[in-house]
Amino acid sequence: MGLRGGGGWGGRAGVPAPGWTCLLLCASLRSLLASPGSEVNLLDSRTVMGDLGWIAYPKNGWEEIGEVDENYAPIHTYQVCKVMEQNQNNWLLTSWISNEGASRIFIELKFTLRDCNSLPGGLGTCKETFNMYYFESDDEDGRNIKENQYIKIDTIAADESFTELDLGDRVMKLNTEVRDVGPLTKKGFYLAFQDVGACIALVSVRVYYKKCPSVIRNLARFPDTITGADSSQLLEVSGICVNHSVTDEAPKMHCSAEGEWLVPIGKCLCKAGYEEKNNTCQVCRPGFFKASPHSPSCSKCPPHSYTLDEASTSCLCEEHYFRRESDPPTMACTTPSPVSSVKKGKITKNSVSLSWQEPDRPNGIILEYEIKYFEKDQETSYTIIKSKETTITADGLKPGSAYIFQIRARTAAGYGGFSRRFEFETSPVLAASSDQSQIPVIVVSVTVGVILLAVVIGFLLSGSCCDHGCGWASSLRAVAYPSLIWRCGYSKAKQDPEEEKMHFHNGHIKLPGVRTYIDPHTYEDPNQAVHEFAKEIEASCITIERVIGAGEFGEVCSGRLKLQGKREFPVAIKTLKVGYTEKQRRDFLGEASIMGQFDHPNIIHLEGVVTKSKPVMIVTEYMENGSLDTFLKKNDGQFTVIQLVGMLRGIASGMKYLSDMGYVHRDLAARNILINSNLVCKVSDFGLSRVLEDDPEAAYTTRGGKIPIRWTAPEAIAFRKFTSASDVWSYGIVMWEVMSYGERPYWEMTNQDVIKAVEEGYRLPSPMDCPAALYQLMLDCWQKDRNSRPKFDEIVSMLDKLIRNPSSLKTLVNASSRVSNLLVEHSPAGSGAYRSVGEWLEAIKMGRYTEIFMENGYSSMDAVAQVTLEDLRRLGVTLVGHQKKIMSSLQELKVQLVNGMVPL
Ligand code: AMP
């Protein structure tokens, strides 16, 4: 069997035969001694290769049998068999054993014991037990202690003893006994085995402690944990989440005295972008995503979305596909279901009218439609019209030609796909004369003639146009080359001012497209709109200096803003008063969401908002001179006409920008224009529903809305048709306010009277000393037919022309030119024939001056007709508004006396 050496009990009767240990050891002893995973050996006599260093005394007591196994590894077996002798006390002491921090250790003994009955003659002294002891010490110095200092662990008896017969049968009866000791308080200990007259072979001694081995449970790693000192103790252990996982509920487990993990509590979850596999968190592969730790595993990107990265938490929508902010990332990206049913309406030789239905599943609120069309087979030159309506008329088309139309919708998420192509043909030109063959010849001749004429004019102008009116010359050239207009030009749609039309050639827009205003209402979360359009400013960057006004939501202050890397500069700060409701906060910040979309020198500039701390603030550029109406009243008569026109030009330019953006102001008035120290005017006061709610001028109409009647176009008052054209009407009133230095439009007339008078065709009279060209522009803005009013770009060019040519402002409005544009308050019978001065003054609400007039000799209408401004001042009529009112009424009277009154 490969065992060398021998010795031990000889073949004498009663003495164990040599070789029994050999037999025992050869029976795959090592596997018998293998320790379970949760046990950590402190000593295993079987695995010690060299000397064990144990001490036996007296010398003839325990003895070591020097055997080796088949691998020549020593087998440390101690035996003693003094069964025939009295008073045996044989000790075997181990070397010092470190307990490695364990406070409870286990001792496993494997031994054989001879049955005393099988020993003839030895019965009197023979024992069948031995004792085991321990002694604690921090180091190896404790070895020479006295026997009585050892603490007894137990008396060890054999479960199985063996006889001579068993030996003959070569059956070994190996006993295994385990005892535990604790709590241990020192770093180590010695063990001692005391024999008092037994026949023992101590085959192995294994000392170990138990631990709960490191384990991953519920994605939390629990470390190796030595069991408690008490055999019934449960240790609570906290787990640590494995890589790429996060705590869901704090993970904990209990380690039992037996080294088993019990009662797991809490868990970790693989974070977004990772999934659980074999107790680890594995990254989601490209094409897969996991949005939240709570999702069980990585999922394939939903339809029409993709991700090229590992560890994706969401997938990106493919081009032309969208997902709303509020949609979960598990949702497929969709495209607004394309417009499917397109119907043709009226078709003429130059135009095609279309209508269509809103898509069934528009994927959000439709902000506008884009209509693309081009002549069949000419796709490289196409036109795009944007419209908020579901109808459109494409005009300027060639007669008798087929056109292809495609429509797509835009939501807050972007554009959907284009509809299929719809083909419609314009009507052909019908021949008026019977000789149709002449038509092409005539057309060609006329065209050639026009071109030649235009070329000649263009040539004549080309040398001299640049000091005044290059624009005029270039428009002439455009007439000469009409095809250029078609291919390259930008034109406003004729059908509706809310439409926008652009032409493209070979994929390039010929003039830069116009950005459109996005109504913050289209955002489900208004906070998102604010942060999309307004920068968040830290409150610490703002210094508030003084209160300059009162807004609807709180005070307006002036102060300074210091942004990183910029010089400090003055700002206006609108604050939201404490105790606001959520709606007030939304409405307050709504103004910033609108203002933040604009970037124009004549629109008040938004610096940013403070929403992360209180008070909530809107920070804008500071306008030193405040609101225009107050400023003009304070500086009555102090500016040149050019300065006033300059102010009006700025306001018109700001309004042109707003109308190009598709934004309708609805409350354009001098009080809502701010003016800075350079007399630059800027349009302000943007708001959502509250625009008209906070304006003290706004009054409730019969339809329930609140409208600033004096500034509002009749169609907006009557049926809420607010458009850029109604803003133009308001602009005309602002012109009147500016030219009359902040006079109140329609003076003290009631709103009802204003509505009635305007409806009947009366208009504000020209302010005093107003250039005729400006008053004419005002009247144009107040055209009843909104499509006949000038557009803001036309107003800007008109004012530019006047500024460039100041002499054009010299002609002032005179009485005769005002005759057909008079506004009459409470006109008695419309004849202008007042029976008394008192009646006249009452009629114009100046009755308070009757007595003064009478006392100073102005007792008849004839006498009154001679009154001058100087006279009025002398009479004590010092209020400029009253002077103007009386003087304009007098002018009217004079005219009426001659012509009678003719409304517009
Ligand atoms: P609002 O709430 O916009 O009507 O503002 C109330 C008042 O505060 C205005 O009438 C102005 O007198 C003043 N104000 C508002 N914004 C500014 C600004 N940017 N610069 C100077 N004054 C302002």
Side-chain angles (χ1 to χ4, degrees), residues 548-552 554 556 571-572 574 591 604 620-627 671-672 674 684-685 690 694:
I548 52 169
E552 192 208 355
V556 182
V571 284
K574 282 189 175 185
E591 181 171 18
I604 194 80
T620 64
E621 66 180 306
Y622 180 57
M623 302 293 283
E624 296 83 347
N625 284 319
S627 54
R671 66 184 168 280
N672 290 330
L674 292 166
S684 84
D685 226 286
R690 66 119 201 148
D694 73 328

